[in-house]
Amino acid sequence: MNSCIVCGVDISHRRSKARYCSEECKKSKPTNMEWGCAVCGGDLSHRPRAKYCGDECAKSAQQQQKRQWRADPLNHERERLSRNESQNAKYRDDPVYREERKAASKDYRIRNPEIARAKDKARWNLKSQDPNWVKQNRARKRTSHYRARRNTTNRARMATDPSFRSRELARLVLRMAVYPEYKVMSQKKHKEKYNSSPEYREIQKDYHRKWKFGLTPGEYAKKFSEQRGLCAICKGTNQDGRTLMVDHSHQSQQVRDLLCVNCNLGIGKVGENSQRMLAAVDYLNRAAWEVKDVPRMQYDQMLAGFQSPRRRLTIQDQKSRRSRSAGLKKNYGIDIDQYEWLLAKGERVCWICRKRETAKLGRNGKGKGRRVSALNVDHIHDATKRIRGLLCYNCNTGIGYFQHDIEILKTAAAYLVQWNGGSVQPNLLDKLAHGRPSLAVHGGIEARF
């Protein structure tokens, strides 16, 4: 507050250099009044209207005012918005000048990130006070052009800037923790867009190959052209028109070739084991049984599979056997006694991999695993329904993916041998197939293979 130096009355309403409230106070001022410099406090009684004792103090005060003005970021923004109209027109109409200013601004922001963020915040605070600007900015951010440009920039920063990537991932995790419905909503939008937009579907496939296999779109296209768009094993394509899948080793994570869905799932079901595939070849080469020719297990032989051979079957055991027999009769044309005979013939293990069943199934084969599944009856899919044997879930589905074709299985075995570092000789498959151990005779029952 500015006050009269004689009577002390407030004179803030007058000009800044005023010293008296009226002419009376000015005439009644003491002749020996001492004045002080605003900077150094020197005597200015001989200069009643002066603020500073000399040019040095005046310059120092001016510099102090500039420092105070620069301390407020809003002043910089006001100065930027009040630039000369001719300079703004030059920026708008001259492409060369505009690119120079953009490059200089980008270089400045790289060298001074903290100052740039402070200026951005000050600019945002100043503009956000205008309701019209807020409305226009919201409408601009809803446009597809703005979103496409923002997504492109963010993807580039996610790939090159680790700090930006960590911030974005932390922000996404926090958003999903605070708003659980955001994850459900985003997944729903992703599925709808994935099913409706072919371009978005290809982008997601390229991203998945890069994230899981380290395979860029150019590398995938090159491998696809080298294979002429055909599966590396069966030399076919997917029936539904889907692109070929990337096959890789689950031990070394090495990317191999491109396969169709059936071949890729088939080698996965057999555990990427060439010996197991050759055992499947040997298994498919055997003669199948007619349903009527499959022998039945005798009662005393059937009881050998229980804990106590002397005990009789309980009512619950009999009901379970009748129910199981009805299901086998409906699906495969054999009863429970014939199934027991096949089970004993194969020593209660899979006829290909020689292992016990490990797959767990829920009630009626649905839901999470509650019990270990029984061995599956493998049969020929024709009117006769001839029985080949009992297989575990993986071997049964594996040869199904390979369409029960011996040549495809041999090619798949050679494919795995080559990628495992070996060389495939013309008679290698036959040697491996004949070197497989045969099933033993069980319970005095003669083996047919």
Side-chain angles (χ1 to χ4, degrees), residues 242-311:
R242 288 186 291 176
T243 57
L244 297 178
M245 304 179 69
V246 180
D247 176 41
H248 72 292
S249 172
H250 289 265
Q251 285 77 28
S252 62
Q253 304 301 322
Q254 178 190 13
V255 175
R256 293 191 281 242
D257 282 333
L258 306 183
L259 304 179
C260 64
V261 175
N262 288 338
C263 290
N264 190 37
L265 295 177
I267 65 174
K269 287 296 182 181
V270 297
E272 301 181 4
N273 191 334
S274 58
Q275 294 284 354
R276 194 169 174 182
M277 290 182 181
L278 295 174
V281 172
D282 189 21
Y283 168 81
L284 292 176
N285 277 325
R286 298 168 190 156
W289 278 290
E290 297 288 346
V291 174
K292 61 181 180 179
D293 295 336
V294 180
R296 286 181 170 81
M297 177 72 74
Q298 300 302 321
Y299 186 79
D300 55 344
Q301 294 174 338
M302 182 268 297
L303 286 179
F306 288 84
Q307 294 180 356
S308 177
R310 294 185 178 180
R311 77 176 181 86

Side-chain angles (χ1 to χ4, degrees), residues 74 77 81 120-138 141:
L74 291 176
E77 182 60 20
L81 296 176
D120 291 342
K121 187 175 182 180
R123 186 183 300 112
W124 179 269
N125 292 336
L126 185 62
K127 287 184 176 181
S128 61
Q129 298 175 6
D130 185 3
N132 295 329
W133 181 87
V134 173
K135 185 177 180 180
Q136 293 175 1
N137 188 50
R138 290 177 178 174
K141 289 185 175 181

